[in-house]
Amino acid sequence: LNVDLDQVRFADLSRYWPEGAAKGARKWVTENITEGVARAGHVALEMEGAADGSDLTLTNASGRLQGDDLSVYWLRPLPPLQHVPAELTLLSPDALVVSVTGGVEAGGKAGRIPLKSGSVRVEGMMTKDQVATLDLDLAGPIADAIDVLRHPRLHLFEHRSLRLSEPAGTVRAKISAMVPLEERVTMERIAL
């Protein structure tokens, strides 16, 4: 089965993504990519089953999809990454990767931190539970980076303080995280 997609808004994606297919990934994508357009998509699926069409099993999957001007929440209630150009690559029935390139911004309280590049890899799509591996390269004002690190959602300075007054300069940082794609994931379940 070959499927081509001309264009669809991410806000409408839940209408086209079957509810039973990769439930955790579907839920995460449709709830956390709130703006933008998917275009130029192609998916190839191979299935095997009985001659009467029963007992179909997905044996291979591949494909690509371009995304423009996306807003992506990577860990709510942290501000979303905005204006994201991305490419989704379906690697197999069980895994996909979303790659993003420069010119993207992640919101901090005091300002914005440009995202240079990054990727999100989702694995386990054929199983009950999926896990996303995030790798993000950021660079920008250190004051904005500290605002993100101090966000209560991360719990990084819950038991220790970070006392800085009027920090200045720039920072380049790499954030790597493994996030279970669960409805109510806690910080204790995230490897950061």
PDB file of all heavy atoms in Angstrom, residues 21-25 92-96 121-132 181:
ATOM      1  N   ALA A  21      -3.575   2.878  15.683  1.00  0.00           N
ATOM      2  CA  ALA A  21      -2.195   2.784  15.162  1.00  0.00           C
ATOM      3  C   ALA A  21      -1.245   3.602  16.031  1.00  0.00           C
ATOM      4  O   ALA A  21      -1.373   4.815  16.107  1.00  0.00           O
ATOM      5  CB  ALA A  21      -2.150   3.283  13.721  1.00  0.00           C
ATOM      6  N   ALA A  22      -0.295   2.919  16.676  1.00  0.00           N
ATOM      7  CA  ALA A  22       0.726   3.570  17.516  1.00  0.00           C
ATOM      8  C   ALA A  22       0.079   4.584  18.451  1.00  0.00           C
ATOM      9  O   ALA A  22       0.349   5.772  18.391  1.00  0.00           O
ATOM     10  CB  ALA A  22       1.799   4.219  16.646  1.00  0.00           C
ATOM     11  N   LYS A  23      -0.784   4.082  19.328  1.00  0.00           N
ATOM     12  CA  LYS A  23      -1.615   4.951  20.175  1.00  0.00           C
ATOM     13  C   LYS A  23      -0.828   6.016  20.933  1.00  0.00           C
ATOM     14  O   LYS A  23      -1.205   7.179  20.941  1.00  0.00           O
ATOM     15  CB  LYS A  23      -2.391   4.111  21.183  1.00  0.00           C
ATOM     16  CG  LYS A  23      -3.512   3.323  20.595  1.00  0.00           C
ATOM     17  CD  LYS A  23      -4.248   2.618  21.717  1.00  0.00           C
ATOM     18  CE  LYS A  23      -5.005   1.428  21.179  1.00  0.00           C
ATOM     19  NZ  LYS A  23      -5.653   0.682  22.251  1.00  0.00           N
ATOM     20  N   GLY A  24       0.262   5.608  21.599  1.00  0.00           N
ATOM     21  CA  GLY A  24       1.036   6.571  22.375  1.00  0.00           C
ATOM     22  C   GLY A  24       1.658   7.643  21.498  1.00  0.00           C
ATOM     23  O   GLY A  24       1.611   8.828  21.817  1.00  0.00           O
ATOM     24  N   ALA A  25       2.243   7.231  20.375  1.00  0.00           N
ATOM     25  CA  ALA A  25       2.845   8.198  19.453  1.00  0.00           C
ATOM     26  C   ALA A  25       1.775   9.106  18.853  1.00  0.00           C
ATOM     27  O   ALA A  25       1.955  10.319  18.738  1.00  0.00           O
ATOM     28  CB  ALA A  25       3.611   7.473  18.358  1.00  0.00           C
ATOM     29  N   SER A  92      10.619   2.132  10.153  1.00  0.00           N
ATOM     30  CA  SER A  92      10.124   0.756  10.162  1.00  0.00           C
ATOM     31  C   SER A  92       8.721   0.786  10.758  1.00  0.00           C
ATOM     32  O   SER A  92       8.263   1.851  11.191  1.00  0.00           O
ATOM     33  CB  SER A  92      11.046  -0.124  11.022  1.00  0.00           C
ATOM     34  OG  SER A  92      10.872   0.181  12.394  1.00  0.00           O
ATOM     35  N   PRO A  93       8.040  -0.343  10.831  1.00  0.00           N
ATOM     36  CA  PRO A  93       6.737  -0.332  11.509  1.00  0.00           C
ATOM     37  C   PRO A  93       6.852   0.069  12.979  1.00  0.00           C
ATOM     38  O   PRO A  93       5.874   0.495  13.583  1.00  0.00           O
ATOM     39  CB  PRO A  93       6.262  -1.783  11.389  1.00  0.00           C
ATOM     40  CG  PRO A  93       6.971  -2.335  10.220  1.00  0.00           C
ATOM     41  CD  PRO A  93       8.315  -1.638  10.220  1.00  0.00           C
ATOM     42  N   ASP A  94       8.054  -0.021  13.549  1.00  0.00           N
ATOM     43  CA  ASP A  94       8.231   0.188  14.975  1.00  0.00           C
ATOM     44  C   ASP A  94       8.907   1.501  15.353  1.00  0.00           C
ATOM     45  O   ASP A  94       8.960   1.851  16.519  1.00  0.00           O
ATOM     46  CB  ASP A  94       9.054  -0.981  15.550  1.00  0.00           C
ATOM     47  CG  ASP A  94       8.790  -1.182  17.017  1.00  0.00           C
ATOM     48  OD1 ASP A  94       7.614  -1.223  17.416  1.00  0.00           O
ATOM     49  OD2 ASP A  94       9.772  -1.289  17.776  1.00  0.00           O
ATOM     50  N   ALA A  95       9.466   2.254  14.380  1.00  0.00           N
ATOM     51  CA  ALA A  95      10.251   3.436  14.731  1.00  0.00           C
ATOM     52  C   ALA A  95      10.118   4.543  13.704  1.00  0.00           C
ATOM     53  O   ALA A  95       9.997   4.299  12.505  1.00  0.00           O
ATOM     54  CB  ALA A  95      11.724   3.047  14.880  1.00  0.00           C
ATOM     55  N   LEU A  96      10.152   5.777  14.204  1.00  0.00           N
ATOM     56  CA  LEU A  96      10.196   6.948  13.337  1.00  0.00           C
ATOM     57  C   LEU A  96      11.115   7.969  13.970  1.00  0.00           C
ATOM     58  O   LEU A  96      11.381   7.938  15.173  1.00  0.00           O
ATOM     59  CB  LEU A  96       8.797   7.529  13.088  1.00  0.00           C
ATOM     60  CG  LEU A  96       7.997   8.111  14.246  1.00  0.00           C
ATOM     61  CD1 LEU A  96       8.380   9.554  14.537  1.00  0.00           C
ATOM     62  CD2 LEU A  96       6.514   8.067  13.905  1.00  0.00           C
ATOM     63  N   ARG A 121      13.275  10.688  18.279  1.00  0.00           N
ATOM     64  CA  ARG A 121      13.120   9.329  17.763  1.00  0.00           C
ATOM     65  C   ARG A 121      12.095   8.616  18.627  1.00  0.00           C
ATOM     66  O   ARG A 121      12.236   8.577  19.851  1.00  0.00           O
ATOM     67  CB  ARG A 121      14.456   8.590  17.792  1.00  0.00           C
ATOM     68  CG  ARG A 121      14.386   7.202  17.177  1.00  0.00           C
ATOM     69  CD  ARG A 121      15.740   6.511  17.248  1.00  0.00           C
ATOM     70  NE  ARG A 121      15.651   5.164  16.734  1.00  0.00           N
ATOM     71  CZ  ARG A 121      16.145   4.771  15.580  1.00  0.00           C
ATOM     72  NH1 ARG A 121      16.772   5.628  14.802  1.00  0.00           N
ATOM     73  NH2 ARG A 121      16.022   3.517  15.187  1.00  0.00           N
ATOM     74  N   VAL A 122      11.055   8.069  17.995  1.00  0.00           N
ATOM     75  CA  VAL A 122      10.005   7.339  18.701  1.00  0.00           C
ATOM     76  C   VAL A 122      10.159   5.870  18.362  1.00  0.00           C
ATOM     77  O   VAL A 122      10.181   5.503  17.180  1.00  0.00           O
ATOM     78  CB  VAL A 122       8.598   7.846  18.308  1.00  0.00           C
ATOM     79  CG1 VAL A 122       7.528   7.039  19.025  1.00  0.00           C
ATOM     80  CG2 VAL A 122       8.452   9.332  18.616  1.00  0.00           C
ATOM     81  N   GLU A 123      10.279   5.038  19.405  1.00  0.00           N
ATOM     82  CA  GLU A 123      10.429   3.601  19.195  1.00  0.00           C
ATOM     83  C   GLU A 123       9.348   2.848  19.964  1.00  0.00           C
ATOM     84  O   GLU A 123       8.774   3.362  20.914  1.00  0.00           O
ATOM     85  CB  GLU A 123      11.808   3.145  19.653  1.00  0.00           C
ATOM     86  CG  GLU A 123      12.910   3.801  18.837  1.00  0.00           C
ATOM     87  CD  GLU A 123      14.267   3.245  19.144  1.00  0.00           C
ATOM     88  OE1 GLU A 123      14.597   2.191  18.588  1.00  0.00           O
ATOM     89  OE2 GLU A 123      14.994   3.874  19.943  1.00  0.00           O
ATOM     90  N   GLY A 124       9.092   1.628  19.519  1.00  0.00           N
ATOM     91  CA  GLY A 124       8.101   0.785  20.172  1.00  0.00           C
ATOM     92  C   GLY A 124       6.689   1.023  19.675  1.00  0.00           C
ATOM     93  O   GLY A 124       5.718   0.763  20.387  1.00  0.00           O
ATOM     94  N   MET A 125       6.542   1.524  18.442  1.00  0.00           N
ATOM     95  CA  MET A 125       5.213   1.861  17.936  1.00  0.00           C
ATOM     96  C   MET A 125       4.309   0.648  17.744  1.00  0.00           C
ATOM     97  O   MET A 125       3.098   0.789  17.684  1.00  0.00           O
ATOM     98  CB  MET A 125       5.322   2.669  16.639  1.00  0.00           C
ATOM     99  CG  MET A 125       5.988   4.004  16.863  1.00  0.00           C
ATOM    100  SD  MET A 125       5.878   5.172  15.497  1.00  0.00           S
ATOM    101  CE  MET A 125       6.103   4.194  14.066  1.00  0.00           C
ATOM    102  N   MET A 126       4.887  -0.524  17.651  1.00  0.00           N
ATOM    103  CA  MET A 126       4.087  -1.738  17.482  1.00  0.00           C
ATOM    104  C   MET A 126       3.737  -2.365  18.838  1.00  0.00           C
ATOM    105  O   MET A 126       3.058  -3.375  18.894  1.00  0.00           O
ATOM    106  CB  MET A 126       4.831  -2.760  16.620  1.00  0.00           C
ATOM    107  CG  MET A 126       5.113  -2.288  15.203  1.00  0.00           C
ATOM    108  SD  MET A 126       3.636  -2.124  14.211  1.00  0.00           S
ATOM    109  CE  MET A 126       3.287  -3.843  13.888  1.00  0.00           C
ATOM    110  N   THR A 127       4.223  -1.754  19.911  1.00  0.00           N
ATOM    111  CA  THR A 127       3.954  -2.265  21.249  1.00  0.00           C
ATOM    112  C   THR A 127       3.016  -1.323  21.989  1.00  0.00           C
ATOM    113  O   THR A 127       2.683  -0.239  21.490  1.00  0.00           O
ATOM    114  CB  THR A 127       5.262  -2.431  22.043  1.00  0.00           C
ATOM    115  OG1 THR A 127       5.868  -1.149  22.196  1.00  0.00           O
ATOM    116  CG2 THR A 127       6.231  -3.368  21.331  1.00  0.00           C
ATOM    117  N   LYS A 128       2.635  -1.714  23.177  1.00  0.00           N
ATOM    118  CA  LYS A 128       1.704  -0.908  23.971  1.00  0.00           C
ATOM    119  C   LYS A 128       2.306   0.442  24.344  1.00  0.00           C
ATOM    120  O   LYS A 128       1.641   1.460  24.321  1.00  0.00           O
ATOM    121  CB  LYS A 128       1.309  -1.686  25.229  1.00  0.00           C
ATOM    122  CG  LYS A 128       0.360  -0.964  26.138  1.00  0.00           C
ATOM    123  CD  LYS A 128       0.024  -1.825  27.350  1.00  0.00           C
ATOM    124  CE  LYS A 128      -0.837  -1.072  28.320  1.00  0.00           C
ATOM    125  NZ  LYS A 128      -0.062  -0.227  29.226  1.00  0.00           N
ATOM    126  N   ASP A 129       3.585   0.454  24.713  1.00  0.00           N
ATOM    127  CA  ASP A 129       4.226   1.674  25.202  1.00  0.00           C
ATOM    128  C   ASP A 129       5.325   2.137  24.257  1.00  0.00           C
ATOM    129  O   ASP A 129       6.142   1.340  23.812  1.00  0.00           O
ATOM    130  CB  ASP A 129       4.834   1.420  26.587  1.00  0.00           C
ATOM    131  CG  ASP A 129       3.776   1.007  27.600  1.00  0.00           C
ATOM    132  OD1 ASP A 129       2.731   1.653  27.648  1.00  0.00           O
ATOM    133  OD2 ASP A 129       4.019   0.025  28.320  1.00  0.00           O
ATOM    134  N   GLN A 130       5.343   3.448  23.993  1.00  0.00           N
ATOM    135  CA  GLN A 130       6.372   4.035  23.147  1.00  0.00           C
ATOM    136  C   GLN A 130       7.268   4.935  23.988  1.00  0.00           C
ATOM    137  O   GLN A 130       6.854   5.467  25.014  1.00  0.00           O
ATOM    138  CB  GLN A 130       5.761   4.859  22.008  1.00  0.00           C
ATOM    139  CG  GLN A 130       5.057   4.035  20.957  1.00  0.00           C
ATOM    140  CD  GLN A 130       3.622   3.738  21.326  1.00  0.00           C
ATOM    141  OE1 GLN A 130       2.890   4.613  21.729  1.00  0.00           O
ATOM    142  NE2 GLN A 130       3.210   2.490  21.181  1.00  0.00           N
ATOM    143  N   VAL A 131       8.508   5.114  23.524  1.00  0.00           N
ATOM    144  CA  VAL A 131       9.477   5.986  24.171  1.00  0.00           C
ATOM    145  C   VAL A 131      10.035   6.930  23.120  1.00  0.00           C
ATOM    146  O   VAL A 131      10.339   6.515  22.004  1.00  0.00           O
ATOM    147  CB  VAL A 131      10.625   5.169  24.801  1.00  0.00           C
ATOM    148  CG1 VAL A 131      11.704   6.080  25.360  1.00  0.00           C
ATOM    149  CG2 VAL A 131      10.097   4.246  25.888  1.00  0.00           C
ATOM    150  N   ALA A 132      10.158   8.210  23.483  1.00  0.00           N
ATOM    151  CA  ALA A 132      10.765   9.196  22.589  1.00  0.00           C
ATOM    152  C   ALA A 132      12.139   9.567  23.126  1.00  0.00           C
ATOM    153  O   ALA A 132      12.299   9.827  24.319  1.00  0.00           O
ATOM    154  CB  ALA A 132       9.891  10.434  22.491  1.00  0.00           C
ATOM    155  N   LEU A 181       6.094   7.985  26.308  1.00  0.00           N
ATOM    156  CA  LEU A 181       4.936   8.681  25.745  1.00  0.00           C
ATOM    157  C   LEU A 181       3.676   8.202  26.456  1.00  0.00           C
ATOM    158  O   LEU A 181       2.848   7.477  25.919  1.00  0.00           O
ATOM    159  CB  LEU A 181       4.865   8.451  24.231  1.00  0.00           C
ATOM    160  CG  LEU A 181       6.067   8.969  23.454  1.00  0.00           C
ATOM    161  CD1 LEU A 181       5.888   8.757  21.967  1.00  0.00           C
ATOM    162  CD2 LEU A 181       6.326  10.438  23.758  1.00  0.00           C
TER     163      LEU A 181
END
